[in-house]
Each structure stands twice: as structure tokens, then as C-alpha cells.
């Protein structure tokens, strides 16, 4: 059991932080970006290898591990720029790695890692989408980070007996795909994707059971999303510290008041504990304990994120409830991450099942 | 980062488990698992088994009887022994004084005291807190004045909350040797033979009926000058060093696991969904605590705020244990309404539940000793609010 970080990992973290700080100043984080800026950032992420971090070299990837992905997610979380990366590089990327055959993987991952294609995944689509003669019908609800995407990966049930489930890829520009846009809590664009005789672009032909694939991908995504929330929490802590040190009331800086100090201490402890669980989840990704640790981290995030965020807002006073103050944007992203796979009770239940 | 323990650590864990299975007497295990009070004689049996194995003082330097275990192995040892129902090694001589004497003591002090501590032939009390010096330890008033012959201190004052003083032969104490000045320059660390005239111990009855905490009155107690540890007026250095050892293991991972196992036993094979949810919540909080504890043993682990680690473990560890004791009280039914183990027949179905209320009340002290949790939060906030 060892939680040490190598010099190379620190170097990667510093590189991603420099990219984020350079491209997205704090005062702009959380604002809606224009499409050109989004595309430019995406290409820069491709240049520094962030998009294919855990892909094979044959797919232009860096062949790094989930620990490097955790460190990267923290830094992207600090910049509020992880939304599309989570769904394209992590969810879709890991799905392709786990669910497709070798040649499919090389082809799809190469396009994702060099930034030519972006993708998202409908993790819970199997109950609502059917496939028959390579045509899809049904609806994928609440798909995340769909804007600017080329591909949607989804699980469809074969309409013919024995009604097997398959992971398939759909080109979102094809006829038969209609997108009902939804602006999510954090400002990112999600959607209900309605499929009416939409053609299958590719059926992933790996050997693993489709539901098993879904679990593996979801656990990896959760581990990465918990890490992202840590990055957002870092910024919230830094902003809170700065506010308490600079804001004066009753003749003293707010940092001098013990009741506020203790609130800060509680924030720090939540952060420290969650960071430890995020490390476990990242280390466990390739092991039998991946699900257990991912669920533990997500359960902890679900339980403690709201008190954490509420406290940060409270410590900022009235400024904390304005749109202008940056903290609210980080709060919204954390709340979304903490609940996008279910609530704390669900994660505890899943943790228990994974522990048996 | 590496998730798994090394094969060496796995083998070490097995050896500890095997040792406890062979050497821990069943009656002690039963007392511990029922939360009953242990007598000094119970502790002595277990400490002797550890001594014979060479495991009684793992944290000491090897030349004085330490085991040379890694911090991870010490954590494994604590976890395995406590989970198997062994008593905690509560002796202040072993946990605190040994490391201090090893570092600051004279050769004569080491030669005299360290072997007797290891053999549990001499038990030591920790004389730190006083009526007006709890969390604010530096405000202590017990004085030690050099005698006219220059060979002795005359000690006057009162120590408070002195754990197990009723069983102890000697006491290490912080005393004021200069009336004013910074604590770093006016407090000394001395060793007091408790059989010296003028030393009086009065047990304090606690909420749960226990009497393991005491007042120690010191009335013109003559202490040989050779019992000064470290330099005169520089006892604060010893105290700080000692408190570092006191914090080691303060997260109480092993105790948390021990009590969580007890809660599962109280709830039976099929706890309700509500209880299952609470159990899982405890497990995840414990996992976070354990991971944090292990993380802090690693170098280069990217702490956001330096210096908050020990306080975080103290606060989260003690609050989690208190929550589990609270849950035990709720789960225990009617038996948890008794203050003490009053069952006349040991085969009474509820006999093993008799101490739940006492244990719950006893656990209130967890967030008070070792620096109250409020003081710990002050320390965390200070580290966070002055980050640059």
C-alpha cells in the first residue's frame, strides 16, 4: 500500500495545470465558451496527450494508468473544463477499450486521442433502445456532454431472440437521430437523443458481456469524476481562504473568527478523506476491487459534497449566492458530479454488493 | 501508487494473526469484546506475551528494544491485535516515555528505566494536564524548585486526568522551573517516584462508573535532580516529541474495526435495510479514514495543506468511533439501558450487551483527550488559512 506520486506524475500534473491556467483564467471559469475557444482548447488537450492518456501507443495514446488520469482530472476540474473529456476520453475511451475488438479499438481510439472525433456515452440506454437489422429505435435520456460530439455510444437490445445486448456507435449527424438539448446544472449541454431507424455506425465486437462492460466503464468514469470534483474543491478552498483573509467585519478579518475557522477545518477534512478514496479508486481500476472502491468514493462524494458546497457558499456571504462570484460555478459542477450516477444511498448499496 | 500490501507485509500480517490466536487468553479476549473493564493483571498477561515475543515496544529505537517495523507494519500490528480482541497497549511508559528517554535521557536513566518499562515491572503515569491547564498545556502551574543543596527539586502542585495513576509506580511530569517566560524556556520534564512522601493519588469516578482517571497531588515532593530529562527549562522539547508519539495511531483504525464488528454482532445476521445502510456508511467512513492514515505514511503524496494530517486523523477517527458507540447503544435494546454489566449469570442471553451504555459514555472522552477536537480544528484552520 503506497500513495506516493512519482516525479513524472508531478510533471504531468504541472503540465495540465499550466494548460488550464493559460487557457481559462479563473474569472472566466464556468462561463459559456464560444465554439472556437472550445475547439482550440480541445486541440491543445490533444497536443499535450490528455485526450489519449490511457490509450495504447498504437492508438496515439500515452499508455498511462488511472493514477495519471486521476491527477489530470483534478487539474481539469480546477478549470471547469473536464465535462467533455470525462465523457469522450474516459467514458467512451474506456468503453472502446473494454468492449471492442483490436482493430475497432485502434481505429476509434486514434480518432478520439488526436481530437478529430469527440464522443459521449449513454450508460443506461439498454432498456430503451432496440436494434433490428442495424437500425436503432428508442431514446437515450439525459446523455451528458453531447455538444460538439460526433459519436454516441449506447447499449441496445436486439429485437430478435435471444434479445442480446450490444454496445453500438451512432453517428449523431445521421438521419434518424434527433437531439433534444438540455442545459444541465453546470451549464454543460446534455440531451435526450431520440433514435428512429437510426443506422448503426459500428457494433463493438469484444467478448465481454455488455452489462459487465457498462459496470466497468461506469466505475472508471466514477473514479475519474470524483477526482475532478477534488479539483473543483481545491479552487473552492483557495477562494474561501482568500475571502476569509481579505474580508473584514467587526474590525477583524473573517479568518479570525473561530466559528468560521472550524467550518474551514471541516471542509479541509472532507477534502482530505475524499482525496484518499479517490487514490484508492484510481489504484484499483485494473483490479477486482475497482467497483468497490469507485462506489466508496462516489458514496463519500454524494454524502459530503452538499454540506461542503453549502458551507463554502455560506462562508462567502451574499457574494456567494451571486452568479458573478466564481464559486457558484464550481458548486454546480460538484453537485452534478455527485449525483449523476445516483444518490448516496444507492452508492452505499452498490458498495455493499461489490464488497460481498 | 500501489494498492496492494507487499508480500512481506502480508506475511507479517499472518504472523501477527497467528501469534494473537495462540497467545491471547480467551478470558481477556472475551472481556475486550464485551467492552468490560480490564484489571491491571489482565494487561500484564498480554504485555508479558508481547514482551516474550519481542513486540512490546515496536516504536522504540531498535537498540533499546524496538522492532524496526515500518509504519505500515505498525499499523497492521495495531489492526490485527485489536480486531482479534487484544487489549490496547495503554501503558504510558511504553507508548510515550520510552521514545522520550531514548532520545533525551541520560545513559543512567536509560539503563535504569527502559528495561523495567519493557518488562512492565514499572508502570508510568503521564503527569501533564492540570486543573487550569488542559488543552492550554503551557499554562501549567506545578512548580519544581531546586533545593538548597542543589541535588533535588521540590515539587508542588496538582496533576489531573492522569490515566491509570492508581496502578502506576512512577510518573513523568511537566513542571514549571521558572516562574515566567515562554513555555519553551521555563518548563522541565522530570521523573517522579510515586512512592515518594507527598504524592497522593485520588481516583475520579467518571460518567460510566470507571475510575481510571485520577488527580495526583504533589505536596513538597522531593525529586532527585538526576531525574531531570533533557535540559533544565527545556521540557517542552520533550513534550512536543512525546505528543508526536501520542498522535501515532490516534485515528484508532483498529478500535473502529473492533467496534464495527461488535455492532454487526449485536445486529445479528440480517440487519434491517436502515441498519444495513448505516453499517455501510460507517464502513465507507472507516475506509476513508484508513486510506488517509496510510496515505500520510507515504512520501510525496501531494498534501493540499501541510501539517493538517494528524489533526484530521484525530478528529475523524474519534468522531467515527463515537458514532459507532452511539449506534451500539441504539442497537442494544433494553440491555443498553443498564449502566454496568449487572447480569448475575454469565449465560444470560444479554450478558455480552451489559457494557454498551458504559462504553458509549466512556467514548465521550475520545474527542477531549490528546488535544480536544476543537483545538484540532483550530490547528487545521490555521494551516489552511495561512497557506502562503
Amino acid at each position: 500500500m503506497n500513495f506516493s506520486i512519482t516525479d513524472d506524475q508531478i510533471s504531468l500534473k504541472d503540465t495540465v495545470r499550466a494548460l488550464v491556467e493559460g487557457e481559462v483564467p479563473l474569472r472566466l471559469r464556468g462561463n459559456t465558451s464560444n465554439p472556437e475557444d472550445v475547439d482550440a482548447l480541445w486541440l491543445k488537450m490533444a497536443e499535450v496527450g490528455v485526450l489519449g492518456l490511457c490509450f495504447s501507443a498504437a492508438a496515439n495514446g500515452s499508455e498511462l494508468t488511472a493514477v495519471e488520469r486521476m491527477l489530470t482530472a483534478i487539474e481539469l476540474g480546477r478549470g471547469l473544463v473536464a465535462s467533455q473529456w470525462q465523457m469522450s476520453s474516459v467514458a467512451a475511451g474506456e468503453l472502446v477499450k473494454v468492449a471492442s475488438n483490436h482493430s475497432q479499438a485502434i481505429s476509434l481510439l486514434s480518432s478520439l486521442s488526436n481530437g478529430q472525433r469527440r464522443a459521449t456515452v449513454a450508460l443506461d440506454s439498454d432498456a430503451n433502445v432496440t436494434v433490428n437489422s442495424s437500425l436503432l429505435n428508442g431514446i437515450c435520456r439525459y446523455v451528458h456532454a453531447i455538444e460538439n460530439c460526433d459519436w454516441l455510444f449506447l447499449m441496445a437490445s436486439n429485437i430478435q431472440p435471444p434479445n442480446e445486448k450490444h454496445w453500438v456507435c451512432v453517428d449523431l449527424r445521421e438521419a434518424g437521430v434527433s437531439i433534444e438539448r438540455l442545459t444541465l446544472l453546470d451549464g454543460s449541454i446534455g440531451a435526450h437523443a431520440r433514435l428512429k431507424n437510426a443506422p448503426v455506425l459500428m457494433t463493438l465486437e469484444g467478448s465481454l458481456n455488455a452489462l459487465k462492460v457498462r459496470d466497468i466503464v461506469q466505475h472508471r468514469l466514477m473514479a475519474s469524476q470524483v477526482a475532478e470534483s477534488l479539483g473543483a474543491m481545491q479552487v473552492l478552498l483557495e477562494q474561501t481562504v482568500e475571502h476569509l483573509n481579505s474580508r473584514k467585519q467587526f474590525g477583524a478579518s473573517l479568518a479570525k473568527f473561530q466559528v468560521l475557522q472550524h467550518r474551514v477545518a471541516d471542509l479541509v477534512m472532507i477534502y482530505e478523506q475524499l482525496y484518499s478514496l479517490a487514490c484508492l479508486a484510481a489504484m484499483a481500476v485494473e483490479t477486482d476491487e475497482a467497483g468497490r472502491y469507485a462506489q466508496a468514493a462516489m458514496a463519500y462524494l454524494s454524502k459530503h459534497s452538499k454540506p461542503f458546497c453549502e458551507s463554502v457558499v455560506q462562508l462567502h456571504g451574499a457574494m456567494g449566492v451571486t452568479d458573478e462570484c466564481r464559486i457558484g460555478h464550481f458548486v454546480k459542477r460538484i453537485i452534478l458530479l455527485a449525483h449523476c450516477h445516483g444518490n448516496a444511498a444507492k452508492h452505499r448499496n452498490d458498495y455493499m454488493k461489490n464488497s460481498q | 501508487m500501489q494498492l496492494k500490501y507487499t508480500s512481506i507485509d502480508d506475511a507479517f500480517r499472518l504472523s501477527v494473526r497467528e501469534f494473537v490466536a495462540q497467545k491471547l487468553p480467551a478470558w481477556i479476549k472475551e472481556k475486550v469484546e464485551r467492552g468490560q473493564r480490564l484489571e491491571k493483571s489482565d494487561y500484564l498477561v498480554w504485555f508479558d506475551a508481547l514482551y516474550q515475543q519481542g513486540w512490546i515496544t515496536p516504536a522504540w529505537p531498535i537498540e533499546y528494544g524496538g522492532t524496526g517495523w515500518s509504519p505500515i507494519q505498525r499499523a497492521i500490528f495495531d489492526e490485527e491485535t485489536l480486531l482479534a480482541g487484544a487489549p490496547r497497549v495503554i501503558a504510558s511508559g511504553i507508548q510515550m516515555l520510552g521514545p522520550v528517554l531514548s532520545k533525551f535521557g541520560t545513559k543512567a536513566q536509560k539503563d535504569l528505566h527502559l528495561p523495567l518499562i519493557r518488562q512492565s515491572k514499572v508502570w508510568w503515569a503521564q503527569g501533564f494536564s492540570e486543573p487550569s491547564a488542559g488543552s492550554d498545556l503551557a499554562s501549567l502551574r506545578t512548580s519544581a524548585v531546586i533545593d538548597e543543596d542543589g541535588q533535588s527539586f521540590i515539587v508542588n502542585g496538582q496533576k489531573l486526568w492522569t490515566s491509570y495513576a492508581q496502578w502506576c509506580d512512577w510518573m513523568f511530569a511537566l513542571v514549571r522551573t521558572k516562574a515566567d517566560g515562554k513555555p519553551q524556556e521555563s518548563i522541565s520534564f522530570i521523573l517522579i517516584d510515586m512512592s515518594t512522601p507527598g504524592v497522593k493519588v485520588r481516583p475520579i469516578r467518571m460518567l460510566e462508573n470507571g475510575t481510571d482517571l485520577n488527580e495526583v497531588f504533589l505536596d513538597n515532593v522531593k525529586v532527585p535532580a538526576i531525574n531531570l530529562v533533557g535540559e533544565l527549562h527545556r521540557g517542552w522539547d520533550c513534550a512536543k516529541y512525546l505528543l508526536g508519539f501520542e498522535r501515532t495511531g490516534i485515528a484508532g483504525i483498529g478500535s473502529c474495526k473492533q467496534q464495527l464488528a461488535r455492532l454487526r454482532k449485536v445486529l445479528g445476521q440480517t440487519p434491517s435495510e436502515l441498519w444495513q445502510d448505516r453499517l455501510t456508511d460507517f464502513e465507507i467512513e472507516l475506509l476513508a479514514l484508513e486510506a488517509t492514515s496510510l496515505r500520510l505514511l507515504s512520501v510525496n503524496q501531494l498534501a493540499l495543506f501541510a501539517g493538517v494530517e494528524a489533526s484530521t486523523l484525530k478528529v475523524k477517527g474519534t468522531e467515527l468511533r463515537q458514532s459507532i458507540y452511539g449506534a451500539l447503544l441504539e442497537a442494544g435494546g433494553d440491555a443498553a439501558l443498564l449502566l454496568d454489566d449487572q447480569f448475575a449469570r454469565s449465560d444470560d442471553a444479554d450478558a455480552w450487551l451489559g457494557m454498551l451504555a458504559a462504553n458509549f459514555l466512556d467514548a465521550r472522552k475520545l474527542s477531549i483527550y490528546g488535544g480536544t477536537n476543537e483545538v484540532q480544528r483550530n490547528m487545521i484552520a490555521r494551516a489552511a488559512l495561512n497557506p502562503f
Side-chain angles (χ1 to χ4, degrees):
Chain A
M1 187 71 86
N2 183 352
F3 290 77
S4 301
I5 303 287
T6 65
D7 289 344
D8 284 348
Q9 289 168 336
I10 291 173
S11 172
L12 170 69
K13 175 186 85 68
D14 292 344
T15 301
V16 182
R17 180 168 299 194
L19 172 70
V20 169
E21 299 289 338
E23 294 296 315
V24 195
L26 178 62
R27 65 188 162 76
L28 298 180
R29 289 178 204 171
N31 285 0
T32 305
S33 306
N34 66 53
E36 294 78 29
D37 291 343
V38 172
D39 290 345
L41 177 61
W42 196 251
L43 288 176
K44 285 188 176 159
M45 287 166 77
E47 281 169 20
V48 298
V50 164
L51 299 184
L53 208 61
C54 302
F55 300 171
S56 68
N60 300 318
S62 306
E63 299 197 318
L64 295 172
T65 72
V67 172
E68 283 84 3
R69 186 160 67 218
M70 175 191 90
L71 296 170
T72 301
I74 290 174
E75 297 308 321
L76 297 178
R78 289 178 60 92
L80 287 180
V81 290
S83 174
Q84 188 142 52
W85 176 81
Q86 292 284 16
M87 294 314 294
S88 188
S89 285
V90 182
E94 295 304 305
L95 175 74
V96 170
K97 280 164 65 179
V98 175
S100 57
N101 64 33
H102 182 68
S103 63
Q104 287 178 327
I106 300 295
S107 160
L108 292 168
L109 294 177
S110 297
S111 299
L112 293 178
S113 63
N114 64 22
Q116 286 175 346
R117 293 281 185 271
R118 279 172 259 188
T120 189
V121 180
L123 280 166
D124 295 315
S125 50
D126 60 305
N128 300 314
V129 181
T130 58
V131 57
N132 188 22
S133 304
S134 293
L135 293 175
L136 297 159
N137 283 284
I139 180 169
C140 301
R141 292 169 61 80
Y142 299 107
V143 180
H144 285 227
I146 201 163
E147 199 166 53
N148 308 312
C149 275
D150 306 284
W151 299 331
L152 169 65
F153 289 91
L154 60 98
M155 196 188 337
S157 302
N158 199 325
I159 207 161
Q160 307 291 344
N163 307 110
E164 292 166 324
K165 298 175 194 301
H166 301 279
W167 281 98
V168 299
C169 180
V170 180
D171 187 329
L172 286 168
R173 282 176 290 262
E174 283 285 354
V177 180
S178 70
I179 302 298
E180 184 185 327
R181 280 169 56 106
L182 300 163
T183 304
L184 302 180
L185 175 65
D186 63 339
S188 66
I189 302 301
H192 294 337
R194 295 180 191 279
L195 308 166
K196 192 169 180 184
N197 290 327
V200 170
L201 178 65
M202 188 185 291
T203 299
L204 302 187
E205 294 176 347
S207 55
L208 270 182
N209 171 282
L211 290 171
K212 174 77 177 162
V213 166
R214 193 262 310 278
D215 288 347
I216 292 171
V217 171
Q218 189 164 34
H219 294 150
R220 293 181 185 182
L221 179 61
M222 283 178 177
S224 184
Q225 288 177 326
V226 169
E228 182 195 338
S229 72
L230 284 167
M233 285 180 171
Q234 284 183 5
V235 176
L236 289 178
L237 279 165
E238 290 163 5
Q239 291 296 299
T240 303
V241 164
E242 188 179 319
H243 177 71
L244 294 182
N245 277 317
S246 57
R247 170 88 170 156
K248 288 190 173 169
Q249 290 286 274
F250 306 106
S253 72
L254 295 181
K256 300 289 182 196
F257 294 92
Q258 193 180 43
V259 67
L260 306 186
Q261 292 172 1
H262 284 195
R263 277 188 171 237
V264 170
D266 286 334
L267 297 178
V268 170
M269 288 190 286
I270 289 173
Y271 173 86
E272 289 287 334
Q273 301 268 75
L274 185 63
Y275 183 89
S276 303
L277 290 174
C279 291
L280 284 185
M283 286 190 272
V285 155
E286 302 285 345
T287 76
D288 293 343
E289 307 217 80
R292 178 169 166 254
Y293 286 130
Q295 293 290 0
M298 204 34 117
Y300 197 90
L301 176 66
S302 290
K303 177 183 170 188
H304 293 286
S305 57
K306 277 212 294 297
F308 183 101
C309 291
E310 287 162 1
S311 202
V312 166
V313 173
Q314 180 72 18
L315 285 165
H316 276 78
M319 276 307 292
V321 289
T322 66
D323 185 70
E324 181 187 342
C325 180
R326 289 298 100 180
I327 63 158
H329 300 278
F330 290 88
V331 164
K332 286 190 249 183
R333 180 66 183 162
I334 291 172
I335 299 287
L336 181 140
L337 290 171
H339 295 88
C340 62
H341 299 283
N343 59 26
K346 176 191 178 294
H347 292 303
R348 284 197 289 271
N349 194 40
D350 290 346
Y351 169 84
M352 187 187 66
K353 286 182 194 159
N354 275 294
S355 300
Q356 286 166 349
Chain B
M1 289 196 192
Q2 174 63 43
L3 182 65
K4 296 291 178 199
Y5 288 96
T6 64
S7 56
I8 293 172
D9 288 342
D10 282 337
F12 174 76
R13 183 185 292 278
L14 282 179
S15 71
V16 175
R17 199 173 288 174
E18 202 171 297
F19 167 77
V20 183
Q22 286 175 0
K23 300 292 183 183
L24 178 66
W27 87 85
I28 296 181
K29 178 180 167 72
E30 187 175 330
K31 272 187 164 182
V32 170
E33 290 181 343
R34 291 185 177 193
Q36 292 174 333
R37 294 187 189 92
L38 299 184
E39 301 301 324
K40 183 176 180 180
S41 55
D42 299 325
Y43 285 111
L44 282 172
V45 169
W46 175 236
F47 293 175
D48 185 57
L50 290 173
Y51 173 71
Q52 298 297 338
Q53 182 75 4
W55 288 356
I56 187 67
T57 50
W60 291 19
I62 292 176
E63 63 264 40
Y64 300 118
T67 54
W69 293 341
S70 68
I72 295 268
Q73 287 175 324
R74 278 163 54 193
I76 290 172
F77 177 77
D78 285 346
E79 181 184 329
E80 286 296 325
T81 51
L82 291 174
L83 259 180
R88 280 191 308 120
V89 179
I90 52 156
S92 299
I94 292 168
Q95 300 290 30
M96 301 176 197
L97 182 62
V100 171
L101 279 186
S102 300
K103 184 171 174 65
F104 296 97
T106 63
K107 182 173 185 308
Q109 287 170 341
K110 291 174 189 172
D111 289 346
L112 173 63
H113 296 300
L114 293 180
L116 296 173
I117 294 173
R118 294 193 69 230
Q119 294 162 33
S120 297
K121 287 187 174 164
V122 172
W123 274 45
W124 288 79
Q126 181 192 13
F128 275 26
S129 294
E130 296 183 7
S132 61
S135 295
D136 180 15
L137 187 58
S139 65
L140 62 90
R141 290 183 194 165
T142 295
S143 67
V145 179
I146 300 278
D147 201 1
E148 290 168 359
D149 61 9
Q151 298 299 305
S152 306
F153 294 103
I154 301 300
V155 182
N156 279 287
Q158 181 188 351
K159 293 294 175 181
L160 192 60
W161 316 125
T162 317
S163 302
Y164 306 104
Q166 77 276 18
W167 294 342
C168 289
D169 313 290
W170 282 67
M171 177 167 75
F172 55 91
L174 289 177
V175 292
R176 190 165 291 284
T177 40
K178 253 176 32 183
D180 48 21
K182 294 181 186 170
Q184 294 87 339
E185 296 162 2
S186 58
I187 288 173
S188 300
F189 190 105
I190 62 171
L191 311 176
I192 302 172
D193 182 342
M194 293 178 73
S195 64
T196 313
V199 178
K200 187 178 161 197
V201 176
R202 189 183 80 82
I204 304 167
R205 185 162 295 280
M206 307 301 287
L207 277 178
E208 82 289 1
N209 266 353
T211 52
D212 290 334
L213 297 184
N214 301 271
E215 290 178 281
V216 180
F217 298 94
L218 301 159
D219 182 14
N220 285 319
V221 177
K222 192 169 183 176
V223 175
I226 55 169
N227 286 1
L228 172 73
V229 178
E231 292 179 40
L232 187 66
H233 309 315
R234 301 286 299 182
W236 202 248
D237 297 340
C238 300
K240 273 170 51 184
Y241 185 73
L242 177 153
L243 289 171
F245 277 86
E246 191 184 18
R247 288 200 193 102
T248 309
I250 205 153
I253 307 288
S255 297
C256 283
K257 289 189 175 179
Q258 191 185 56
Q259 295 309 313
L260 201 48
R262 191 177 174 203
L263 178 59
R264 284 194 176 284
K265 194 174 167 193
V266 172
L267 290 169
Q269 293 283 332
T270 50
S272 69
E273 275 186 30
L274 281 174
W275 269 113
Q276 187 56 59
D277 189 52
R278 282 182 77 180
L279 282 168
T280 309
D281 189 38
F282 284 142
E283 275 192 18
I284 291 170
E285 295 287 339
L286 176 54
L287 183 66
L289 182 72
E290 186 174 18
T292 303
S293 178
L294 292 169
R295 177 161 70 84
L296 299 176
L297 302 176
S298 305
V299 293
N300 227 356
Q301 45 87 18
L302 293 181
L304 188 59
F305 300 113
V308 304
E309 298 90 346
S311 295
T312 298
L313 291 176
K314 203 276 175 173
V315 172
K316 300 306 285 187
T318 53
E319 291 179 356
L320 177 58
R321 257 182 294 168
Q322 289 176 331
S323 299
I324 297 173
Y325 279 114
L328 274 162
L329 188 74
E330 293 175 51
D334 290 339
L337 301 178
L338 306 174
L339 181 55
D340 219 333
D341 192 347
Q342 302 164 43
F343 297 102
R345 294 171 55 101
S346 62
D347 60 350
D348 188 300
D350 282 351
W352 62 290
L353 301 173
M355 292 297 285
L356 292 177
N359 294 160
F360 165 77
L361 293 169
D362 184 47
R364 305 324 303 162
K365 69 171 74 135
L366 296 175
S367 50
I368 298 169
Y369 69 51
T372 63
N373 285 16
E374 286 69 30
V375 168
Q376 305 297 338
R377 282 186 165 85
N378 288 350
M379 290 162 68
I380 294 168
R382 197 176 307 140
L385 289 165
N386 299 292
F388 306 112

